[in-house]
RNA sequence: GGGUAGGUAGCGAAGCGGUCAAACGCAACAGACUGUAAAUCUGUCGACAAUUGUCUUCGGAGGUUCGAAUCCUUCCCUACCCA
């Protein structure tokens, strides 16, 4: 049984940037109710970057809503395109994946998405299934339905032409291949970030050219990463991974700029609309410390990807280390076999610093302490004792184990 | 195929024979401060050794020179214009 069209629309519309076109979605819902068949909701996944971060969760959350409304979630792993290798980086050609890698990554993607989706009711397909069967004749037929101008309209390409960065020929085919995926699985709706708008619209074109019903494209906002300016991505090193340690999820959340707090709540957590309104009010009142709201955000995220208990513990640890500046409970051990060692050698060996030179600089800057006592002698030789606690910077700790 | 402009540290970008381990910006790291791993300010930011030293870096390989990121040869790569 499906909910009413209005109910479904209200839920789906929430948080989206665009629904193209909205009236077609209404019609699709109507038809689905009348025929009592679920809609196919497509989401493409990139198997070259199998680590999901909370930026991906925005779109996955929307997909989950569709699931909850009784529709089919279809995850498409772009293994075929992954095997060809997408050199979308500026200079580096992306390493081409082997067949095995795409499978492993695909599975890992699926597993991670399971933290958000109901995977037992989701379908995963690999696009090699149909793309590898296209022969040149069919490919040419497919390509003949598009013009260079149409493909170059895409912002990315336009900008790259302007910036004089290379565009590999096959990159031009990507949108068409992705569009072909929609045709192959009979997608009714395709979800994606706003950056995928163009690609997803091409899906509509492909379906139309081949005489199929066109999909509705729903775009979701992209969120900025922890640096607050660039879109969250692993390559920008500003992402919060959903499989990261609770303390990293929490800590990284605490490092986002204050202005992003609301957006994160809205797009990456499951808090209700009422709570959202309350959070907004809290943030607008300058008497409140944004830190406290941010801390709640971190709590919500840890709770989402772990559980409430872990979230409580994480918050306690954070307070202890960063607000009260105490030593955390859980410190990694470093096993030593010798009785004494130079401090700089120890720090390097234990990976608390990258090199001895860096270790020296850290000591010079007063970043190193042993059992709470700041060390300033870079030639210091330490007599190692079991249980000694070393601290480097604000968050690197190590306990000696003999 | 012809022409032009380029390839510099994590990225962007100066330098165009010695004073270059290489300006500057961003990122990163550290310190101070702070209601936060926000913001702001200060510092560090190739490696090794130590108190002004040594070694490896400026697309690759050779060469010229007392001395090269800087000049020459050659190769590889990229963008743009022309065909």
């Amino acid at each position: 049984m499906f909910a009413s069209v209005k109910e479904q629309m209200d839920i789906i519309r929430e948080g989206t940037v665009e629904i193209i076109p909205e009236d077609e979605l209404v019609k699709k819902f109507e038809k689905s109710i009348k025929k009592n068949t679920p809609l196919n909701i497509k989401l493409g996944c990139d198997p070259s970057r199998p680590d999901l971060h909370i930026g991906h969760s925005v779109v996955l959350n929307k997909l989950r809503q569709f699931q909850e409304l009784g529709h089919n979630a279809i995850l498409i792993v772009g293994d075929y395109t992954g095997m060809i290798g997408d050199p979308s980086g500026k200079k580096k050609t992306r390493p081409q994946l082997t067949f095995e890698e795409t499978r492993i990554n695909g599975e890992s993607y699926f597993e991670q998405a399971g933290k958000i989706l109901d995977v037992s009711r989701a379908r995963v397909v690999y696009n090699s299934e149909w793309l590898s069967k296209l022969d040149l004749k069919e490919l040419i037929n497919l390509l003949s339905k598009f013009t260079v101008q149409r493909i170059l309209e895409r912002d990315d390409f336009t900008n790259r032409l302007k910036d004089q960065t290379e565009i590999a020929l096959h990159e031009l085919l990507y949108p068409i291949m992705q569009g072909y995926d929609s045709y192959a699985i009979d997608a009714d709706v395709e979800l994606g970030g706003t950056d995928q708008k163009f690609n997803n619209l091409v899906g509509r074109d492909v379906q139309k050219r081949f005489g199929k019903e066109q999909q509705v494209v729903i775009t979701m906002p992209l969120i900025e990463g922890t640096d607050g300016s660039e879109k969250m991505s692993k390559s920008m090193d500003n992402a919060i991974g959903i499989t990261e340690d609770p303390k990293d999820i929490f800590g990284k959340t605490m490092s986002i700029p204050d202005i992003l707090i609301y957006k994160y709540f809205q797009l990456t957590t499951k808090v209700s609309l009422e709570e959202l309104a309350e959070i907004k009010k809290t943030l607008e009142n300058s008497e409140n410390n944004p830190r406290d709201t941010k801390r709640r955000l971190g709590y919500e995220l840890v709770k989402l990807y772990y559980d409430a208990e872990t979230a409580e513990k994480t918050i306690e640890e954070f307070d202890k280390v960063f607000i009260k500046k105490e030593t955390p409970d859980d410190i990694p051990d470093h096993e030593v076999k010798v009785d004494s060692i130079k401090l700089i050698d120890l720090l390097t060996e234990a990976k608390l610093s990258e090199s001895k030179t860096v270790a020296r600089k850290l000591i010079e800057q007063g970043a190193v302490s042993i059992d709470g006592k700041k060390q300033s002698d870079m030639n210091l030789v330490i007599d190692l004792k079991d249980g000694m606690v070393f601290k480097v910077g604000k968050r690197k700790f190590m306990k000696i184990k003999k």
Side-chain angles (χ1 to χ4, degrees):
Chain A
M1 265 307 100
F2 294 101
S4 74
V5 172
K6 186 183 177 300
E7 257 175 275
Q8 296 200 56
M9 283 304 288
D10 284 347
I11 291 169
I12 294 309
R13 199 158 23 211
E14 180 62 35
T16 57
V17 175
E18 278 186 292
I19 299 179
I20 314 170
E22 199 164 322
D23 57 326
E24 271 185 38
L25 182 60
V26 172
K27 276 183 208 142
K28 280 178 188 281
F29 279 142
E30 282 167 357
K31 204 169 88 183
S32 139
I33 292 169
K34 203 154 91 189
K35 294 191 172 173
N36 197 28
T37 49
L39 298 176
N40 289 334
I41 316 301
K42 171 192 170 193
L43 178 66
C45 339
D46 177 3
S48 66
R49 303 201 163 274
D51 294 316
L52 297 192
H53 52 65
I54 65 168
H56 298 113
S57 77
V58 175
V59 139
L60 285 166
N61 269 313
K62 185 56 66 184
L63 186 58
R64 176 182 49 87
Q65 290 175 340
F66 270 108
Q67 277 194 319
E68 283 165 2
L69 291 169
H71 300 291
N72 295 332
I74 305 179
L75 291 167
I76 299 193
V77 180
D79 66 333
Y80 201 68
T81 36
M83 276 194 278
I84 300 166
D86 174 9
S88 62
K90 276 180 195 158
K91 282 183 181 166
K92 295 167 244 167
T93 303
R94 212 177 256 187
Q96 301 183 358
L97 301 172
T98 63
F99 179 79
E100 287 74 24
E101 282 170 326
T102 62
R103 288 299 122 128
I104 292 167
N105 291 351
E107 268 161 42
S108 130
Y109 187 105
F110 195 51
E111 194 185 303
Q112 294 171 61
K115 292 190 175 221
I116 298 166
L117 296 175
D118 177 358
V119 284
S120 66
R121 293 200 303 114
R123 206 176 119 208
V124 186
V125 281
Y126 293 83
N127 67 2
S128 57
E129 203 179 297
W130 49 85
L131 288 180
S132 65
K133 289 184 187 123
L134 275 180
D135 67 17
L136 191 56
K137 201 174 92 191
E138 288 169 303
L139 178 61
I140 288 171
N141 177 42
L142 174 62
L143 294 181
S144 71
K145 299 181 191 302
F146 292 88
T147 63
V148 173
Q149 286 85 342
R150 170 83 176 90
I151 298 304
L152 289 181
E153 278 172 14
R154 185 184 181 176
D155 267 7
D156 295 350
F157 291 145
T158 314
N159 291 337
R160 280 161 74 180
L161 279 172
K162 208 164 53 190
D163 298 348
Q164 310 197 347
T165 29
E166 66 179 296
I167 300 172
L169 199 51
H170 72 281
E171 289 185 77
L172 296 177
L173 305 192
Y174 268 69
I176 298 172
M177 295 299 147
Q178 285 189 26
Y180 191 78
D181 291 345
S182 294
Y183 161 77
I185 61 151
D186 287 324
D188 288 302
V189 174
E190 174 154 17
L191 294 177
T194 48
D195 59 335
Q196 291 297 311
K197 179 174 165 182
F198 180 88
N199 285 343
N200 297 353
L201 286 172
V202 170
R204 280 173 64 78
D205 285 346
V206 176
Q207 288 172 315
K208 189 177 169 190
R209 305 279 177 181
F210 285 104
K212 292 225 179 175
E213 188 177 315
Q214 289 179 288
Q215 65 184 8
V216 171
V217 172
I218 297 182
T219 56
M220 299 298 295
L222 300 175
I223 58 168
E224 290 86 352
T226 51
D227 60 357
S229 52
E230 295 296 323
K231 159 184 136 178
M232 183 178 289
S233 81
K234 213 184 159 199
S235 49
M236 289 301 298
D237 206 26
N238 63 1
I240 303 176
I242 67 174
T243 55
E244 286 190 73
D245 275 356
K247 69 169 191 288
D248 285 325
I249 291 182
F250 190 85
K252 285 184 180 185
T253 304
M254 288 305 281
S255 79
I256 65 168
D258 294 350
I259 24 161
L260 242 43
I261 298 174
Y262 183 77
K263 196 169 181 184
Y264 269 52
F265 261 113
Q266 185 189 35
L267 294 168
T268 68
T269 67
K270 283 187 184 175
V271 300
S272 67
L273 290 178
E274 296 79 54
E275 284 174 292
L276 271 179
E278 174 209 313
I279 286 159
K280 193 165 198 174
K281 222 191 259 172
T282 309
L283 284 169
E284 277 162 3
N285 183 344
S286 56
E287 275 174 34
N288 295 313
N289 183 358
R291 184 197 64 179
D292 297 328
T293 314
K294 211 193 271 184
R295 175 197 276 174
R296 176 163 169 217
L297 173 64
Y299 172 86
E300 291 290 341
L301 286 169
V302 176
K303 192 173 93 179
L304 188 61
Y305 295 113
Y306 291 87
D307 53 72
E309 199 191 327
T310 309
E312 304 274 358
K313 241 185 239 159
T314 308
I315 221 169
E316 271 170 39
E317 282 284 294
F318 184 86
D319 285 356
K320 198 168 176 183
V321 178
F322 296 106
I323 296 177
K324 298 185 195 138
K325 313 226 187 246
E326 290 170 9
T327 310
D329 293 334
D330 194 19
I331 307 178
D333 287 333
H334 179 68
E335 210 165 320
V336 289
K337 297 206 174 80
V338 289
D339 290 331
S340 69
I341 188 169
K342 279 185 80 172
L343 181 55
I344 51 169
D345 289 332
L346 178 70
L347 295 178
T348 311
E349 189 186 294
K351 302 224 170 72
L352 290 179
S353 78
E354 294 156 46
S355 66
K356 293 183 192 176
T357 305
V358 172
R360 281 206 178 82
K361 302 268 150 102
L362 286 167
I363 294 170
E364 214 169 69
Q365 291 176 123
V368 179
S369 67
I370 303 174
D371 288 333
K373 266 178 245 131
K374 199 167 271 189
Q375 301 300 315
S376 54
D377 178 7
M378 56 175 96
N379 292 315
L380 185 69
V381 177
I382 328 153
D383 294 319
L384 293 165
K385 289 185 202 89
D386 189 57
M388 274 179 135
V389 173
F390 289 74
K391 182 184 176 195
V392 175
K394 280 181 211 154
R395 43 187 160 133
K396 276 187 242 162
F397 291 90
M398 172 191 85
K399 194 191 272 172
I400 293 296
K401 195 180 172 191
K402 275 186 95 170

